[in-house]
Short mmCIF file of all heavy atoms in Angstrom, two decimals:
data_model
loop_
_atom_site.label_atom_id
_atom_site.label_comp_id
_atom_site.label_asym_id
_atom_site.label_seq_id
_atom_site.Cartn_x
_atom_site.Cartn_y
_atom_site.Cartn_z
N PRO A 1 0.82 -1.22 0.01
CA PRO A 1 0.00 0.00 0.00
C PRO A 1 0.86 1.26 0.00
O PRO A 1 1.94 1.27 0.51
CB PRO A 1 -0.80 -0.09 1.29
CG PRO A 1 -0.49 -1.41 1.91
CD PRO A 1 0.63 -2.01 1.15
N GLU A 2 0.32 2.29 -0.56
CA GLU A 2 1.06 3.53 -0.64
C GLU A 2 1.18 4.19 0.73
O GLU A 2 2.22 4.77 1.05
CB GLU A 2 0.40 4.47 -1.62
CG GLU A 2 0.56 3.98 -3.05
CD GLU A 2 0.17 5.02 -4.06
OE1 GLU A 2 -1.00 5.39 -4.10
OE2 GLU A 2 1.06 5.45 -4.80
N ASP A 3 0.18 4.14 1.53
CA ASP A 3 0.22 4.75 2.85
C ASP A 3 0.51 3.68 3.89
O ASP A 3 -0.38 2.99 4.37
CB ASP A 3 -1.08 5.48 3.17
CG ASP A 3 -0.97 6.29 4.43
OD1 ASP A 3 0.02 6.17 5.17
OD2 ASP A 3 -1.91 7.07 4.69
N VAL A 4 1.77 3.56 4.22
CA VAL A 4 2.22 2.51 5.17
C VAL A 4 1.51 2.65 6.51
O VAL A 4 1.09 1.67 7.09
CB VAL A 4 3.75 2.58 5.33
CG1 VAL A 4 4.23 1.59 6.38
CG2 VAL A 4 4.44 2.31 4.01
N ARG A 5 1.41 3.85 7.01
CA ARG A 5 0.76 4.07 8.30
C ARG A 5 -0.69 3.60 8.28
O ARG A 5 -1.15 2.94 9.21
CB ARG A 5 0.82 5.54 8.71
CG ARG A 5 2.19 5.99 9.06
CD ARG A 5 2.17 7.44 9.45
NE ARG A 5 3.54 7.90 9.56
CZ ARG A 5 3.89 8.96 10.23
NH1 ARG A 5 3.01 9.68 10.85
NH2 ARG A 5 5.15 9.32 10.29
N GLU A 6 -1.38 3.94 7.24
CA GLU A 6 -2.79 3.56 7.12
C GLU A 6 -2.96 2.04 7.15
O GLU A 6 -3.91 1.50 7.69
CB GLU A 6 -3.37 4.14 5.83
CG GLU A 6 -4.86 3.97 5.68
CD GLU A 6 -5.38 4.63 4.43
OE1 GLU A 6 -5.15 5.84 4.28
OE2 GLU A 6 -5.97 3.93 3.60
N PHE A 7 -1.99 1.35 6.57
CA PHE A 7 -2.03 -0.11 6.52
C PHE A 7 -1.60 -0.76 7.83
O PHE A 7 -2.26 -1.65 8.37
CB PHE A 7 -1.17 -0.62 5.37
CG PHE A 7 -1.10 -2.12 5.28
CD1 PHE A 7 -2.15 -2.84 4.76
CD2 PHE A 7 0.01 -2.80 5.73
CE1 PHE A 7 -2.10 -4.22 4.70
CE2 PHE A 7 0.08 -4.20 5.66
CZ PHE A 7 -0.96 -4.89 5.13
N LEU A 8 -0.46 -0.30 8.37
CA LEU A 8 0.14 -0.94 9.53
C LEU A 8 -0.43 -0.54 10.88
O LEU A 8 -0.59 -1.37 11.77
CB LEU A 8 1.66 -0.69 9.58
CG LEU A 8 2.49 -1.35 8.50
CD1 LEU A 8 3.96 -0.93 8.64
CD2 LEU A 8 2.37 -2.85 8.58
N PHE A 9 -0.72 0.73 11.06
CA PHE A 9 -1.09 1.23 12.39
C PHE A 9 -2.30 0.57 13.03
O PHE A 9 -2.30 0.37 14.24
CB PHE A 9 -1.23 2.75 12.36
CG PHE A 9 0.08 3.48 12.46
CD1 PHE A 9 1.29 2.84 12.26
CD2 PHE A 9 0.11 4.84 12.74
CE1 PHE A 9 2.50 3.53 12.35
CE2 PHE A 9 1.30 5.53 12.85
CZ PHE A 9 2.50 4.86 12.64
N PRO A 10 -3.32 0.18 12.29
CA PRO A 10 -4.46 -0.46 12.94
C PRO A 10 -4.20 -1.93 13.35
O PRO A 10 -4.96 -2.51 14.13
CB PRO A 10 -5.57 -0.44 11.88
CG PRO A 10 -5.11 0.48 10.82
CD PRO A 10 -3.63 0.54 10.91
N LEU A 11 -3.12 -2.50 12.87
CA LEU A 11 -2.85 -3.92 13.14
C LEU A 11 -2.48 -4.16 14.61
O LEU A 11 -1.84 -3.32 15.24
CB LEU A 11 -1.69 -4.42 12.27
CG LEU A 11 -1.91 -4.45 10.78
CD1 LEU A 11 -0.65 -4.87 10.06
CD2 LEU A 11 -3.07 -5.36 10.42
N PRO A 12 -2.83 -5.32 15.15
CA PRO A 12 -2.39 -5.67 16.50
C PRO A 12 -0.88 -5.93 16.49
O PRO A 12 -0.33 -6.36 15.49
CB PRO A 12 -3.17 -6.96 16.82
CG PRO A 12 -3.60 -7.50 15.52
CD PRO A 12 -3.67 -6.36 14.55
N VAL A 13 -0.24 -5.64 17.61
CA VAL A 13 1.21 -5.83 17.69
C VAL A 13 1.63 -7.28 17.44
O VAL A 13 2.74 -7.55 17.02
CB VAL A 13 1.80 -5.33 19.03
CG1 VAL A 13 1.71 -3.84 19.15
CG2 VAL A 13 1.15 -6.03 20.21
N SER A 14 0.70 -8.21 17.64
CA SER A 14 1.02 -9.62 17.41
C SER A 14 1.32 -9.91 15.93
O SER A 14 1.91 -10.94 15.61
CB SER A 14 -0.12 -10.50 17.87
OG SER A 14 -1.31 -10.19 17.17
N LYS A 15 0.96 -9.01 15.04
CA LYS A 15 1.24 -9.17 13.61
C LYS A 15 2.68 -8.80 13.26
O LYS A 15 3.15 -9.07 12.15
CB LYS A 15 0.28 -8.33 12.77
CG LYS A 15 -1.15 -8.76 12.87
CD LYS A 15 -1.33 -10.13 12.22
CE LYS A 15 -2.80 -10.52 12.22
NZ LYS A 15 -3.00 -11.83 11.66
N ILE A 16 3.41 -8.19 14.16
CA ILE A 16 4.79 -7.80 13.92
C ILE A 16 5.65 -9.08 14.00
O ILE A 16 5.58 -9.81 14.99
CB ILE A 16 5.29 -6.78 14.96
CG1 ILE A 16 4.46 -5.49 14.86
CG2 ILE A 16 6.79 -6.48 14.75
CD1 ILE A 16 4.76 -4.51 15.97
N PRO A 17 6.44 -9.36 12.96
CA PRO A 17 7.28 -10.55 12.99
C PRO A 17 8.19 -10.55 14.21
O PRO A 17 8.80 -9.54 14.55
CB PRO A 17 8.12 -10.43 11.70
CG PRO A 17 7.29 -9.58 10.81
CD PRO A 17 6.58 -8.60 11.71
N GLY A 18 8.22 -11.68 14.88
CA GLY A 18 9.08 -11.81 16.07
C GLY A 18 8.37 -11.53 17.38
O GLY A 18 8.93 -11.80 18.44
N VAL A 19 7.18 -10.99 17.30
CA VAL A 19 6.42 -10.72 18.54
C VAL A 19 5.65 -11.98 18.87
O VAL A 19 4.70 -12.36 18.21
CB VAL A 19 5.47 -9.53 18.38
CG1 VAL A 19 4.59 -9.37 19.61
CG2 VAL A 19 6.26 -8.24 18.15
N GLY A 20 6.09 -12.62 19.94
CA GLY A 20 5.43 -13.83 20.40
C GLY A 20 4.45 -13.53 21.52
O GLY A 20 4.18 -12.36 21.85
N GLU A 21 3.94 -14.59 22.12
CA GLU A 21 2.94 -14.43 23.19
C GLU A 21 3.47 -13.64 24.39
O GLU A 21 2.78 -12.79 24.94
CB GLU A 21 2.46 -15.80 23.66
CG GLU A 21 1.62 -16.54 22.65
CD GLU A 21 1.21 -17.91 23.12
OE1 GLU A 21 1.22 -18.16 24.34
OE2 GLU A 21 0.87 -18.75 22.27
N ARG A 22 4.70 -13.91 24.77
CA ARG A 22 5.28 -13.23 25.94
C ARG A 22 5.46 -11.73 25.69
O ARG A 22 5.10 -10.90 26.52
CB ARG A 22 6.62 -13.89 26.30
CG ARG A 22 6.87 -13.86 27.79
CD ARG A 22 8.00 -14.73 28.17
NE ARG A 22 9.23 -13.95 28.03
CZ ARG A 22 10.45 -14.46 27.95
NH1 ARG A 22 10.63 -15.73 27.96
NH2 ARG A 22 11.48 -13.66 27.82
N THR A 23 6.01 -11.40 24.54
CA THR A 23 6.18 -9.98 24.20
C THR A 23 4.84 -9.28 24.04
O THR A 23 4.66 -8.16 24.52
CB THR A 23 7.02 -9.84 22.91
OG1 THR A 23 8.28 -10.49 23.09
CG2 THR A 23 7.24 -8.38 22.56
N GLU A 24 3.91 -9.96 23.40
CA GLU A 24 2.56 -9.38 23.24
C GLU A 24 1.94 -9.11 24.61
O GLU A 24 1.35 -8.04 24.81
CB GLU A 24 1.68 -10.33 22.43
CG GLU A 24 0.28 -9.76 22.21
CD GLU A 24 -0.63 -10.71 21.45
OE1 GLU A 24 -0.26 -11.90 21.27
OE2 GLU A 24 -1.70 -10.27 21.07
N GLU A 25 2.06 -10.03 25.51
CA GLU A 25 1.52 -9.86 26.86
C GLU A 25 2.16 -8.68 27.58
O GLU A 25 1.48 -7.88 28.22
CB GLU A 25 1.66 -11.14 27.68
CG GLU A 25 0.98 -11.09 29.02
CD GLU A 25 -0.53 -10.87 28.94
OE1 GLU A 25 -1.16 -11.38 27.98
OE2 GLU A 25 -1.08 -10.18 29.79
N THR A 26 3.48 -8.57 27.47
CA THR A 26 4.20 -7.45 28.08
C THR A 26 3.72 -6.13 27.51
O THR A 26 3.48 -5.16 28.25
CB THR A 26 5.70 -7.59 27.87
OG1 THR A 26 6.15 -8.83 28.44
CG2 THR A 26 6.48 -6.45 28.50
N LEU A 27 3.57 -6.07 26.19
CA LEU A 27 3.09 -4.85 25.56
C LEU A 27 1.66 -4.52 26.02
O LEU A 27 1.36 -3.36 26.30
CB LEU A 27 3.15 -4.97 24.05
CG LEU A 27 4.56 -4.99 23.45
CD1 LEU A 27 4.50 -5.40 21.98
CD2 LEU A 27 5.22 -3.63 23.61
N LYS A 28 0.81 -5.52 26.10
CA LYS A 28 -0.57 -5.29 26.56
C LYS A 28 -0.60 -4.74 27.99
O LYS A 28 -1.40 -3.87 28.30
CB LYS A 28 -1.38 -6.58 26.46
CG LYS A 28 -1.80 -6.89 25.05
CD LYS A 28 -2.71 -8.10 25.00
CE LYS A 28 -3.16 -8.34 23.57
NZ LYS A 28 -4.12 -9.41 23.45
N GLU A 29 0.28 -5.26 28.82
CA GLU A 29 0.36 -4.76 30.21
C GLU A 29 0.77 -3.28 30.23
O GLU A 29 0.46 -2.56 31.16
CB GLU A 29 1.37 -5.59 31.01
CG GLU A 29 0.86 -6.98 31.32
CD GLU A 29 1.90 -7.88 31.94
OE1 GLU A 29 3.04 -7.40 32.21
OE2 GLU A 29 1.63 -9.08 32.12
N MET A 30 1.47 -2.87 29.20
CA MET A 30 1.91 -1.47 29.07
C MET A 30 0.86 -0.62 28.36
O MET A 30 1.04 0.58 28.15
CB MET A 30 3.22 -1.40 28.28
CG MET A 30 4.37 -2.10 28.98
SD MET A 30 5.79 -2.31 27.88
CE MET A 30 6.13 -0.61 27.44
N GLY A 31 -0.25 -1.25 27.96
CA GLY A 31 -1.32 -0.53 27.27
C GLY A 31 -1.08 -0.39 25.78
O GLY A 31 -1.66 0.46 25.11
N ILE A 32 -0.18 -1.22 25.23
CA ILE A 32 0.15 -1.16 23.82
C ILE A 32 -0.45 -2.37 23.14
O ILE A 32 0.01 -3.51 23.36
CB ILE A 32 1.68 -1.09 23.62
CG1 ILE A 32 2.22 0.16 24.27
CG2 ILE A 32 2.02 -1.15 22.14
CD1 ILE A 32 3.73 0.21 24.37
N ASN A 33 -1.48 -2.16 22.34
CA ASN A 33 -2.17 -3.24 21.66
C ASN A 33 -2.04 -3.18 20.15
O ASN A 33 -2.09 -4.19 19.47
CB ASN A 33 -3.66 -3.23 22.02
CG ASN A 33 -3.86 -3.44 23.50
OD1 ASN A 33 -3.57 -4.50 24.01
ND2 ASN A 33 -4.33 -2.42 24.19
N ARG A 34 -1.86 -1.98 19.61
CA ARG A 34 -1.81 -1.78 18.17
C ARG A 34 -0.45 -1.23 17.75
O ARG A 34 0.27 -0.63 18.55
CB ARG A 34 -2.90 -0.79 17.73
CG ARG A 34 -4.28 -1.21 18.14
CD ARG A 34 -5.09 -1.61 16.92
NE ARG A 34 -6.33 -2.25 17.34
CZ ARG A 34 -6.67 -3.47 16.95
NH1 ARG A 34 -5.90 -4.16 16.16
NH2 ARG A 34 -7.79 -4.02 17.35
N VAL A 35 -0.10 -1.43 16.48
CA VAL A 35 1.17 -0.94 15.97
C VAL A 35 1.28 0.56 16.15
O VAL A 35 2.35 1.08 16.49
CB VAL A 35 1.33 -1.33 14.47
CG1 VAL A 35 2.55 -0.70 13.86
CG2 VAL A 35 1.37 -2.86 14.34
N GLU A 36 0.19 1.28 15.97
CA GLU A 36 0.23 2.74 16.15
C GLU A 36 0.65 3.12 17.57
O GLU A 36 1.43 4.04 17.76
CB GLU A 36 -1.13 3.35 15.84
CG GLU A 36 -1.15 4.86 15.99
CD GLU A 36 -2.46 5.47 15.56
OE1 GLU A 36 -3.47 4.75 15.45
OE2 GLU A 36 -2.48 6.68 15.34
N GLU A 37 0.13 2.43 18.54
CA GLU A 37 0.46 2.71 19.95
C GLU A 37 1.94 2.43 20.19
O GLU A 37 2.61 3.18 20.93
CB GLU A 37 -0.40 1.87 20.88
CG GLU A 37 -1.87 2.25 20.79
CD GLU A 37 -2.79 1.22 21.40
OE1 GLU A 37 -2.40 0.05 21.58
OE2 GLU A 37 -3.93 1.62 21.71
N LEU A 38 2.46 1.39 19.58
CA LEU A 38 3.87 1.08 19.71
C LEU A 38 4.73 2.15 19.04
O LEU A 38 5.69 2.63 19.63
CB LEU A 38 4.19 -0.29 19.08
CG LEU A 38 5.64 -0.71 19.06
CD1 LEU A 38 6.20 -0.84 20.47
CD2 LEU A 38 5.81 -1.98 18.28
N ALA A 39 4.34 2.56 17.86
CA ALA A 39 5.09 3.57 17.12
C ALA A 39 5.14 4.90 17.84
O ALA A 39 6.10 5.64 17.74
CB ALA A 39 4.48 3.74 15.72
N ASN A 40 4.09 5.19 18.61
CA ASN A 40 4.01 6.48 19.28
C ASN A 40 4.56 6.48 20.69
O ASN A 40 4.56 7.51 21.35
CB ASN A 40 2.56 6.97 19.29
CG ASN A 40 2.11 7.38 17.91
OD1 ASN A 40 2.87 7.94 17.13
ND2 ASN A 40 0.89 7.06 17.57
N CYS A 41 5.00 5.32 21.17
CA CYS A 41 5.51 5.26 22.54
C CYS A 41 6.98 5.63 22.61
O CYS A 41 7.68 5.67 21.60
CB CYS A 41 5.27 3.90 23.16
SG CYS A 41 6.41 2.66 22.60
N ASP A 42 7.45 5.90 23.80
CA ASP A 42 8.84 6.26 24.01
C ASP A 42 9.69 4.98 23.99
O ASP A 42 9.42 4.04 24.73
CB ASP A 42 8.97 6.92 25.39
CG ASP A 42 10.36 7.45 25.67
OD1 ASP A 42 11.32 7.00 25.01
OD2 ASP A 42 10.50 8.29 26.56
N GLU A 43 10.68 4.97 23.12
CA GLU A 43 11.50 3.74 22.99
C GLU A 43 12.23 3.39 24.27
O GLU A 43 12.53 2.23 24.50
CB GLU A 43 12.47 3.86 21.82
CG GLU A 43 13.46 4.98 21.91
CD GLU A 43 14.23 5.18 20.61
OE1 GLU A 43 15.16 4.39 20.35
OE2 GLU A 43 13.87 6.11 19.88
N LYS A 44 12.47 4.36 25.14
CA LYS A 44 13.13 4.06 26.42
C LYS A 44 12.20 3.21 27.30
O LYS A 44 12.65 2.31 27.99
CB LYS A 44 13.50 5.33 27.15
CG LYS A 44 14.64 6.08 26.48
CD LYS A 44 14.95 7.37 27.18
CE LYS A 44 15.99 8.14 26.38
NZ LYS A 44 16.20 9.46 26.90
N ILE A 45 10.92 3.50 27.26
CA ILE A 45 9.95 2.71 28.04
C ILE A 45 9.92 1.27 27.54
O ILE A 45 9.91 0.33 28.32
CB ILE A 45 8.55 3.35 27.96
CG1 ILE A 45 8.56 4.68 28.70
CG2 ILE A 45 7.49 2.41 28.53
CD1 ILE A 45 7.30 5.50 28.48
N ILE A 46 9.96 1.12 26.22
CA ILE A 46 9.97 -0.22 25.67
C ILE A 46 11.26 -0.95 26.04
O ILE A 46 11.24 -2.11 26.43
CB ILE A 46 9.82 -0.18 24.12
CG1 ILE A 46 8.46 0.36 23.74
CG2 ILE A 46 10.03 -1.56 23.51
CD1 ILE A 46 7.30 -0.50 24.17
N SER A 47 12.39 -0.28 25.93
CA SER A 47 13.64 -0.94 26.21
C SER A 47 13.78 -1.33 27.68
O SER A 47 14.45 -2.29 28.01
CB SER A 47 14.84 -0.07 25.78
OG SER A 47 14.91 1.11 26.52
N ILE A 48 13.12 -0.62 28.57
CA ILE A 48 13.13 -0.98 29.99
C ILE A 48 12.30 -2.23 30.22
O ILE A 48 12.68 -3.12 30.97
CB ILE A 48 12.60 0.18 30.86
CG1 ILE A 48 13.61 1.32 30.86
CG2 ILE A 48 12.28 -0.28 32.27
CD1 ILE A 48 13.07 2.61 31.44
N ASN A 49 11.16 -2.32 29.56
CA ASN A 49 10.23 -3.43 29.75
C ASN A 49 10.51 -4.65 28.87
O ASN A 49 10.20 -5.76 29.25
CB ASN A 49 8.79 -2.96 29.54
CG ASN A 49 8.34 -2.06 30.65
OD1 ASN A 49 8.04 -2.51 31.73
ND2 ASN A 49 8.33 -0.76 30.38
N ILE A 50 11.07 -4.42 27.73
CA ILE A 50 11.43 -5.51 26.83
C ILE A 50 12.93 -5.37 26.59
O ILE A 50 13.36 -4.64 25.72
CB ILE A 50 10.63 -5.47 25.50
CG1 ILE A 50 9.15 -5.54 25.82
CG2 ILE A 50 11.06 -6.59 24.58
CD1 ILE A 50 8.26 -5.33 24.62
N ILE A 51 13.68 -6.05 27.38
CA ILE A 51 15.11 -5.85 27.44
C ILE A 51 15.84 -6.27 26.16
O ILE A 51 16.73 -5.61 25.68
CB ILE A 51 15.71 -6.57 28.66
CG1 ILE A 51 15.13 -5.96 29.92
CG2 ILE A 51 17.22 -6.55 28.65
CD1 ILE A 51 15.38 -6.71 31.18
N ASP A 52 15.44 -7.38 25.56
CA ASP A 52 16.20 -7.93 24.46
C ASP A 52 15.59 -7.62 23.11
O ASP A 52 14.77 -8.37 22.59
CB ASP A 52 16.32 -9.45 24.64
CG ASP A 52 17.27 -10.08 23.64
OD1 ASP A 52 17.95 -9.32 22.94
OD2 ASP A 52 17.31 -11.31 23.60
N PHE A 53 15.99 -6.48 22.54
CA PHE A 53 15.50 -6.11 21.20
C PHE A 53 16.06 -7.04 20.15
O PHE A 53 15.55 -7.13 19.05
CB PHE A 53 15.89 -4.68 20.85
CG PHE A 53 14.87 -3.68 21.26
CD1 PHE A 53 15.27 -2.58 22.01
CD2 PHE A 53 13.55 -3.77 20.91
CE1 PHE A 53 14.34 -1.62 22.41
CE2 PHE A 53 12.61 -2.82 21.29
CZ PHE A 53 13.03 -1.75 22.03
N THR A 54 17.15 -7.77 20.46
CA THR A 54 17.72 -8.66 19.45
C THR A 54 16.77 -9.81 19.13
O THR A 54 16.80 -10.34 18.04
CB THR A 54 19.09 -9.22 19.89
OG1 THR A 54 18.91 -9.96 21.11
CG2 THR A 54 20.09 -8.13 20.08
N SER A 55 15.93 -10.19 20.09
CA SER A 55 14.97 -11.26 19.81
C SER A 55 13.74 -10.76 19.08
O SER A 55 13.02 -11.55 18.47
CB SER A 55 14.57 -11.97 21.10
OG SER A 55 13.88 -11.08 21.95
N THR A 56 13.46 -9.47 19.17
CA THR A 56 12.33 -8.89 18.45
C THR A 56 12.74 -7.59 17.78
O THR A 56 12.27 -6.50 18.12
CB THR A 56 11.15 -8.62 19.41
OG1 THR A 56 11.63 -7.85 20.53
CG2 THR A 56 10.51 -9.88 19.89
N PRO A 57 13.65 -7.66 16.81
CA PRO A 57 14.13 -6.44 16.17
C PRO A 57 13.04 -5.67 15.45
O PRO A 57 13.13 -4.45 15.28
CB PRO A 57 15.20 -6.94 15.19
CG PRO A 57 14.89 -8.37 14.98
CD PRO A 57 14.25 -8.85 16.25
N SER A 58 11.96 -6.35 15.05
CA SER A 58 10.86 -5.66 14.36
C SER A 58 10.22 -4.61 15.25
O SER A 58 9.78 -3.57 14.76
CB SER A 58 9.81 -6.66 13.92
OG SER A 58 10.38 -7.63 13.06
N LEU A 59 10.16 -4.87 16.54
CA LEU A 59 9.61 -3.89 17.49
C LEU A 59 10.42 -2.62 17.45
O LEU A 59 9.88 -1.52 17.37
CB LEU A 59 9.66 -4.43 18.92
CG LEU A 59 8.61 -5.40 19.38
CD1 LEU A 59 8.88 -5.80 20.82
CD2 LEU A 59 7.25 -4.78 19.26
N TYR A 60 11.72 -2.77 17.52
CA TYR A 60 12.58 -1.60 17.51
C TYR A 60 12.46 -0.84 16.20
O TYR A 60 12.43 0.38 16.20
CB TYR A 60 14.04 -2.00 17.76
CG TYR A 60 14.93 -0.81 17.88
CD1 TYR A 60 14.91 -0.05 19.05
CD2 TYR A 60 15.72 -0.39 16.83
CE1 TYR A 60 15.69 1.09 19.17
CE2 TYR A 60 16.53 0.74 16.96
CZ TYR A 60 16.50 1.47 18.11
OH TYR A 60 17.27 2.59 18.22
N CYS A 61 12.33 -1.57 15.08
CA CYS A 61 12.19 -0.92 13.77
C CYS A 61 10.96 -0.06 13.70
O CYS A 61 11.02 1.05 13.18
CB CYS A 61 12.17 -1.97 12.67
SG CYS A 61 13.75 -2.75 12.38
N VAL A 62 9.85 -0.53 14.24
CA VAL A 62 8.62 0.25 14.23
C VAL A 62 8.85 1.59 14.92
O VAL A 62 8.51 2.64 14.42
CB VAL A 62 7.44 -0.51 14.91
CG1 VAL A 62 6.26 0.42 15.15
CG2 VAL A 62 7.03 -1.70 14.07
N ILE A 63 9.46 1.54 16.11
CA ILE A 63 9.70 2.76 16.86
C ILE A 63 10.75 3.63 16.17
O ILE A 63 10.56 4.81 16.01
CB ILE A 63 10.16 2.42 18.30
CG1 ILE A 63 9.06 1.66 19.03
CG2 ILE A 63 10.54 3.67 19.06
CD1 ILE A 63 9.51 1.06 20.33
N TYR A 64 11.84 3.03 15.74
CA TYR A 64 12.94 3.77 15.10
C TYR A 64 12.45 4.55 13.88
O TYR A 64 12.70 5.74 13.78
CB TYR A 64 14.04 2.78 14.70
CG TYR A 64 15.19 3.45 14.01
CD1 TYR A 64 16.25 3.99 14.74
CD2 TYR A 64 15.24 3.55 12.61
CE1 TYR A 64 17.30 4.61 14.10
CE2 TYR A 64 16.30 4.16 11.97
CZ TYR A 64 17.32 4.69 12.72
OH TYR A 64 18.38 5.31 12.10
N TYR A 65 11.77 3.87 12.98
CA TYR A 65 11.35 4.54 11.76
C TYR A 65 10.25 5.57 12.00
O TYR A 65 10.21 6.61 11.35
CB TYR A 65 10.90 3.52 10.71
CG TYR A 65 12.08 2.75 10.15
CD1 TYR A 65 12.22 1.38 10.36
CD2 TYR A 65 13.06 3.41 9.44
CE1 TYR A 65 13.31 0.71 9.86
CE2 TYR A 65 14.16 2.73 8.93
CZ TYR A 65 14.29 1.39 9.16
OH TYR A 65 15.36 0.72 8.67
N LYS A 66 9.38 5.32 12.95
CA LYS A 66 8.33 6.30 13.27
C LYS A 66 8.96 7.56 13.84
O LYS A 66 8.61 8.68 13.47
CB LYS A 66 7.31 5.69 14.23
CG LYS A 66 6.35 6.69 14.82
CD LYS A 66 5.42 7.24 13.76
CE LYS A 66 4.30 8.06 14.31
NZ LYS A 66 4.60 9.39 14.72
N LYS A 67 9.89 7.41 14.77
CA LYS A 67 10.50 8.56 15.42
C LYS A 67 11.27 9.40 14.43
O LYS A 67 11.42 10.60 14.61
CB LYS A 67 11.42 8.12 16.55
CG LYS A 67 10.72 7.40 17.68
CD LYS A 67 9.72 8.31 18.37
CE LYS A 67 9.04 7.57 19.50
NZ LYS A 67 7.85 8.18 19.95
N ARG A 68 11.80 8.79 13.40
CA ARG A 68 12.57 9.53 12.39
C ARG A 68 11.73 9.91 11.20
O ARG A 68 12.23 10.37 10.20
CB ARG A 68 13.78 8.69 12.00
CG ARG A 68 14.82 8.76 13.10
CD ARG A 68 15.47 7.43 13.36
NE ARG A 68 16.29 7.48 14.57
CZ ARG A 68 15.85 7.09 15.78
NH1 ARG A 68 14.61 6.70 15.94
NH2 ARG A 68 16.61 7.13 16.82
N ASP A 69 10.42 9.68 11.32
CA ASP A 69 9.42 10.02 10.29
C ASP A 69 9.76 9.41 8.94
O ASP A 69 9.52 10.01 7.90
CB ASP A 69 9.25 11.53 10.20
CG ASP A 69 7.84 11.91 9.73
OD1 ASP A 69 6.93 11.09 9.93
OD2 ASP A 69 7.68 12.98 9.15
N ILE A 70 10.34 8.23 8.95
CA ILE A 70 10.67 7.52 7.74
C ILE A 70 9.41 6.81 7.23
O ILE A 70 9.19 6.69 6.03
CB ILE A 70 11.81 6.52 7.95
CG1 ILE A 70 13.08 7.31 8.32
CG2 ILE A 70 12.05 5.64 6.73
CD1 ILE A 70 14.21 6.47 8.83
N CYS A 71 8.61 6.34 8.15
CA CYS A 71 7.39 5.63 7.82
C CYS A 71 6.25 6.65 7.73
O CYS A 71 5.69 7.05 8.71
CB CYS A 71 7.12 4.60 8.91
SG CYS A 71 5.45 4.00 9.00
N SER A 72 5.97 7.11 6.53
CA SER A 72 4.91 8.13 6.40
C SER A 72 3.94 7.79 5.28
O SER A 72 4.11 6.92 4.53
CB SER A 72 5.53 9.48 6.16
OG SER A 72 6.40 9.48 5.06
#
């Protein structure tokens, strides 16, 4: 799709590759259920609660690209 945000943001975080049940549960406890909520959150909060970005690099990518306005 041409508008990446329009396509991705409504999706549940469980659709992000590498996000398993445990990571999804942690995100839900933080009030993050959708990709848009993840993209708009502070990456420091995520890194405190989800320590190992190497196991879920897709999570970090969502935040990284959104913060740098690459995903528009």
Side-chain angles (χ1 to χ4, degrees):
E2 290 192 295
D3 189 350
V4 175
R5 290 180 190 200
E6 187 176 303
F7 177 77
L8 291 177
F9 279 15
L11 295 176
V13 292
S14 61
K15 294 292 184 182
I16 298 172
V19 173
E21 290 178 21
R22 213 168 87 198
T23 302
E24 181 182 11
E25 186 61 36
T26 301
L27 290 169
K28 283 184 178 186
E29 289 171 5
M30 297 168 57
I32 299 169
N33 298 293
R34 303 250 169 237
V35 173
E36 180 175 17
E37 295 164 340
L38 175 63
N40 290 323
C41 77
D42 185 341
E43 61 191 281
K44 290 177 186 172
I45 292 170
I46 295 295
S47 64
I48 289 168
N49 289 284
I50 301 173
I51 296 168
D52 188 9
F53 271 128
T54 59
S55 64
T56 52
S58 301
L59 280 179
Y60 185 75
C61 288
V62 168
I63 297 169
Y64 178 87
Y65 288 115
K66 169 66 171 78
K67 297 297 180 197
R68 284 139 190 94
D69 209 24
I70 296 169
C71 160
S72 54

